[in-house]
Amino acid sequence: MGSVQVDGLIKKYNDVTALKNVNIDIKEGEFFALLGPSGCGKTTTMRCIAGFENPTAGNIYINNKVVNKIPANKRNCGMVFQSYALFPHYNVFENVAYGLTVRDFNTGSFGKKVSSFARLMSKRLAKPTKEIEKKVMEVLEYVELGHLAERGVNELSGGQQQRVALARALVLEPSVLLMDEPLSNLDKKLRNTMRTTIRRIQQEVGITTIFVTHDQEEAMSMADRVAVMKEGEIIQNATPTELYSNP
Ligand code: ADP
Ligand code: ADP
């Protein structure tokens, strides 16, 4: 499961119209790139899909269900950002375990006596269950970071940090993976390696992925389908092969 449709999406911020009329149809398992220059509306489109922004008009469907009124934490979208947004005081394992532990906590599996506020304010993560530990280690092995589980995230390279961010998203088994410029903080060599890594993992897991980038070559080399955005609209939507033969 993991199809995404965006239907007549409009987003206005006061007098700025960020999205004029965006329509997207993403099939289950597809790697879909949103390509365009800075300010064209890529991030706004993603944020509307993830539920961090309310559309001014239009509908978002995930798995053929309208999700407009469903809050972000219930939409089952995994996010990876340009700046990774890792928790600096947690090690690699804790960063990846966080989402599962909090979910467990919120559903009352443990820690009932501690208020969730106290829990969130405390510096360390609650001890994860054996089940969570197993799952986190599996995902860490998968992104080839098992040996660095105990390492502080600030001691990692950019590519390693990005793999932690990817693991943190994947461990929750989202139906859609949203990546916003995930490679633009990496140097060129690492960027190329990470293209391959991300694409391999995406295909193996089979997860529907929306990948935001301003880099045409990156979009063309990675995606099944590329939507080109300009000034709040999609002006082209085709496979890389079609775009190469009809630019
Ligand atoms: P991109 O991701 O393609 O760089 P964005 O979606 O971030 O583009 O921005 C699209 C347009 O919407 C830009 O003109 C930007 O300044 C504007 N915008 C984005 N977020 C906000 C906001 N929270 N408030 C006001 N304007 C915004
Ligand atoms: P990107 O180009 O990757 O979208 P930005 O630096 O443009 O990154 O935006 C970062 C954040 O700031 C986003 O959450 C976006 O919604 C918000 N933002 C962008 N433009 C504006 C703006 N003009 N006013 C307020 N918030 C904005």
Side-chain angles (χ1 to χ4, degrees):
M1 297 278 272
S3 67
V4 177
Q5 281 89 36
V6 172
D7 183 22
L9 180 61
I10 295 172
K11 179 65 189 179
K12 292 183 183 167
Y13 295 104
N14 303 314
D15 50 352
V16 179
T17 302
L19 304 177
K20 288 178 192 160
N21 177 19
V22 173
N23 298 283
I24 300 176
D25 187 351
I26 305 171
K27 291 189 194 63
E28 200 182 316
E30 200 165 48
F31 192 111
F32 188 92
L34 266 181
L35 170 69
S38 180
C40 73
K42 305 180 299 294
T43 298
T44 303
T45 304
M46 286 267 259
R47 291 173 61 83
C48 286
I49 294 171
F52 298 132
E53 298 283 357
N54 283 318
T56 305
N59 286 317
I60 310 285
Y61 300 81
I62 298 178
N63 296 326
N64 304 312
K65 279 198 347 220
V66 181
V67 294
N68 293 37
K69 295 207 163 63
I70 296 179
N73 61 354
K74 300 256 164 62
R75 286 195 193 185
N76 209 13
C77 292
M79 302 277 298
V80 175
F81 303 95
Q82 177 178 353
S83 51
Y84 324 131
L86 301 174
F87 305 118
H89 58 289
Y90 284 166
N91 66 26
V92 169
F93 177 90
E94 289 166 329
N95 264 275
V96 178
Y98 178 83
L100 288 173
T101 310
V102 169
R103 184 154 76 186
D104 239 28
F105 180 81
N106 287 339
T107 54
S109 306
F110 63 84
K112 272 226 175 75
K113 285 181 197 138
V114 191
S115 79
S116 61
F117 178 74
R119 182 70 277 292
L120 286 169
M121 288 295 105
S122 82
K123 270 274 200 191
R124 303 310 299 183
L125 198 63
K127 190 171 159 45
T129 59
K130 279 271 172 295
E131 206 181 342
I132 289 179
E133 191 176 321
K134 182 162 171 276
K135 191 160 177 192
V136 170
M137 285 315 295
E138 253 173 44
V139 177
L140 282 178
E141 295 296 343
Y142 194 62
V143 298
E144 294 166 13
L145 285 176
H147 61 297
L148 295 178
E150 304 283 314
R151 202 58 87 74
V153 289
N154 290 328
E155 297 164 49
L156 302 181
S157 72
Q160 288 168 338
Q161 290 190 31
Q162 195 52 291
R163 279 183 284 145
V164 176
L166 184 59
R168 190 178 59 179
L170 289 175
V171 82
L172 295 169
E173 298 180 49
S175 45
V176 182
L177 182 62
L178 303 172
M179 308 185 91
D180 192 352
E181 299 271 5
L183 306 183
S184 48
N185 276 349
L186 307 177
D187 64 45
K188 194 166 188 311
K189 189 158 167 277
L190 202 50
R191 214 153 53 217
N192 285 333
T193 315
M194 280 302 290
R195 281 184 193 176
T196 317
T197 306
I198 288 175
R199 189 63 228 236
R200 172 182 61 81
I201 291 173
Q202 186 271 335
Q203 282 179 324
E204 284 173 9
V205 178
I207 188 169
T208 310
T209 299
I210 307 177
F211 186 96
V212 161
T213 181
H214 63 271
D215 183 332
Q216 177 172 352
E217 201 216 321
E218 190 171 282
M220 299 285 259
S221 70
M222 293 179 78
D224 296 316
R225 181 164 278 277
V226 178
V228 183
M229 284 191 83
K230 189 185 173 189
E231 294 168 12
E233 285 180 295
I234 289 175
I235 53 167
Q236 263 184 315
N237 181 342
T239 64
T241 316
E242 288 164 353
L243 287 173
Y244 273 125
S245 57
N246 187 16

